[in-house]
């Protein structure tokens, strides 16, 4: 077994702790991680936590509400947005009823960390997510993962890429996105150089893929 870093748990030959830079942000980040998302080798959430002092990660399957997930009582959910693909969204950030919302008005962003199927599980087990504002990012290029971790759609990207793009959209310093992306690229390169990469898979074609889960409409009953 290869020696591992005590901080990131990756094999030391793939560790990127030496590249971590701390970036202050005005907005908070909450990562809800599925318990089975234990891919410490390719996972990007650890880089987000190490780089953003206002980022928080919580592992589990369900929480009563946003305050419960954050461990706080006085949080205002109306000032948060959840990142989730929505092919019918008319704006990058919308209220739960679909009205456009200024992203700079947000105080926090929430992201679901896991494979696509695990993210769907988190969404449907937490109906309160449907009451949050929604942020629908539209990546212009494929994920830095490349063929190391293919997703159902070419437009789906890693947790790190989603978070930093959202922060840029909210008006945070663009260097945050550039800096964390550099670290993530370094991780992918070190994984390849150390021959630790799983068998690379072909990226999905640009044909119309199966649609992701549609969040319930505002008046649809939830469990």
């Amino acid at each position: 077994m290869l020696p591992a870093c005590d901080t990131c748990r990756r094999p030391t030959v793939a560790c990127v702790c030496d590249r971590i830079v701390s970036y202050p942000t005005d907005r908070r980040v909450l990562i809800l991680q599925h318990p089975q998302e234990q891919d410490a080798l390719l996972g990007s959430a650890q880089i987000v936590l190490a780089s953003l002092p206002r980022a928080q990660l919580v592992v589990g399957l369900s929480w009563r509400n946003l305050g419960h997930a954050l461990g706080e009582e006085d949080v205002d959910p109306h000032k948060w947005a959840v990142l989730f693909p929505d092919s019918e969204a008319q704006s990058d950030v919308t209220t739960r009823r679909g009205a456009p919302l200024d992203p700079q008005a947000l105080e926090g962003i929430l992201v679901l960390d896991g494979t696509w199927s695990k993210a769907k599980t988190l969404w449907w087990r937490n109906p309160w997510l449907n009451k949050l504002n929604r942020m629908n990012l539209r990546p212009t290029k494929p994920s830095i993962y490349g063929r190391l971790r293919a997703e159902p759609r070419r437009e789906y990207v890693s947790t790190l890429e989603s978070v930093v793009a959202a922060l840029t959209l909210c008006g945070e310093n663009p260097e945050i996105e550039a800096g964390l992306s550099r670290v993530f690229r370094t991780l992918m390169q070190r994984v390849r150089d150390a021959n630790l990469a799983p068998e690379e898979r072909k990226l999905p074609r640009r044909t119309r893929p199966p649609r992701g889960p549609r969040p319930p409409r505002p008046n649809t009953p939830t469990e």
Side-chain angles (χ1 to χ4, degrees):
M1 180 178 296
L2 294 173
C5 171
D6 293 334
T7 301
C8 68
R9 307 192 309 278
R10 294 187 179 92
T12 53
V13 291
C15 173
V16 291
C17 291
D18 61 317
R19 297 297 183 92
I20 296 295
V21 175
S22 181
Y23 294 97
T25 60
D26 291 329
R27 285 154 193 85
R28 302 175 63 183
V29 175
L30 175 62
I31 302 172
L32 300 185
Q33 187 177 74
H34 192 285
Q36 295 179 356
E37 180 63 14
Q38 299 176 354
D39 189 350
L41 178 62
L42 297 178
S44 65
Q46 300 96 326
I47 298 176
V48 175
L49 288 176
S51 305
L52 305 180
R54 303 200 72 188
Q56 178 180 349
L57 182 146
V58 182
V59 180
L61 286 174
S62 60
W63 299 265
R64 294 190 302 273
N65 49 43
L66 177 61
H68 183 213
L70 284 168
E72 303 174 10
E73 296 182 357
D74 58 351
V75 61
D76 184 356
H78 297 96
K79 296 182 179 180
W80 282 70
V82 57
L83 301 181
F84 210 78
D86 185 352
S87 59
E88 297 182 8
Q90 301 299 311
S91 180
D92 291 329
V93 184
T94 63
T95 66
R96 59 171 296 201
R97 297 188 181 279
L101 182 69
D102 182 1
Q104 296 197 29
L106 298 174
E107 293 182 356
I109 57 176
L110 184 153
V111 62
L112 307 179
D113 184 55
T115 62
W116 184 235
S117 62
K118 293 185 179 73
K120 287 193 293 184
T121 297
L122 290 173
W123 180 272
W124 293 113
R125 289 180 65 102
N126 293 274
W128 55 270
L129 291 172
N130 187 50
K131 300 179 181 179
L132 298 181
N133 303 310
R134 296 174 189 157
M135 182 174 288
N136 182 54
L137 301 175
R138 298 174 174 83
T140 58
K141 52 188 176 183
S143 172
I144 294 172
Y145 272 134
R147 295 184 178 181
L148 292 180
R149 189 172 180 177
E151 295 291 349
R153 295 185 62 169
R154 188 179 292 266
E155 293 82 5
Y156 295 168
V157 295
S158 68
T159 294
L160 180 149
E161 292 166 284
S162 297
V163 168
V164 296
L167 290 174
T168 299
L169 182 62
C170 290
E172 300 283 355
N173 187 346
E175 177 55 31
I176 298 174
E177 181 172 9
L180 269 69
S181 296
R182 284 194 296 268
V183 176
F184 196 37
R185 289 191 185 92
T186 299
L187 171 62
M188 296 301 103
Q189 189 59 53
R190 290 183 178 180
V191 166
R192 291 188 178 96
D193 291 345
N195 294 319
L196 297 175
E199 182 179 353
E200 296 192 6
R201 291 158 287 186
K202 292 183 179 180
L203 292 172
R205 295 181 178 180
R206 286 191 177 275
T207 55
R208 185 177 181 86
R211 292 170 60 183
R214 289 285 301 125
R217 295 186 181 278
N219 295 324
T220 301
T222 55
E223 58 184 31

